[in-house]
Amino acid sequence: MALTFHGLMYGSQAVFFAKLFPSSVRYSGASIGYQAASAVVGAPAPLIAVAILERDGGKTTGWPSRYLGLVAFVTVVALYFA
């Protein structure tokens, strides 16, 4: 079941990236954007989640959930402007 959502995300992502760039720079633009976003945003995400849990003493998952909600909101805003 979880891989269903993973497939839906990556299937539509390829079309979305293809529409963002003209054909002369489509491959480079999509690749650079994807790799840069993975490194800048994706890499520190687990570290941020652990720091939030350590600050809270590991008692609750409320703050990591709020962090994920904030990241989801930023994603929706970025999609709107794209």
Side-chain angles (χ1 to χ4, degrees):
M1 178 70 178
L3 291 179
T4 302
F5 295 110
H6 188 265
L8 288 171
M9 179 183 71
Y10 278 104
S12 60
Q13 185 179 29
V15 175
F16 179 71
F17 282 159
K19 298 276 186 188
L20 283 177
F21 300 99
S23 60
S24 61
V25 294
R26 184 169 292 155
Y27 188 78
S28 297
S31 179
I32 290 170
Y34 183 81
Q35 300 304 325
S38 294
V40 172
V41 180
L47 300 173
I48 292 169
V50 168
I52 291 170
L53 280 174
E54 284 181 350
R55 183 175 181 264
D56 192 29
K59 298 175 193 167
T60 179
T61 59
W63 286 107
S65 298
R66 289 182 186 106
Y67 167 69
L68 290 175
L70 175 66
V71 172
F73 176 74
V74 170
T75 301
V76 170
V77 170
L79 282 171
Y80 176 77
F81 286 108

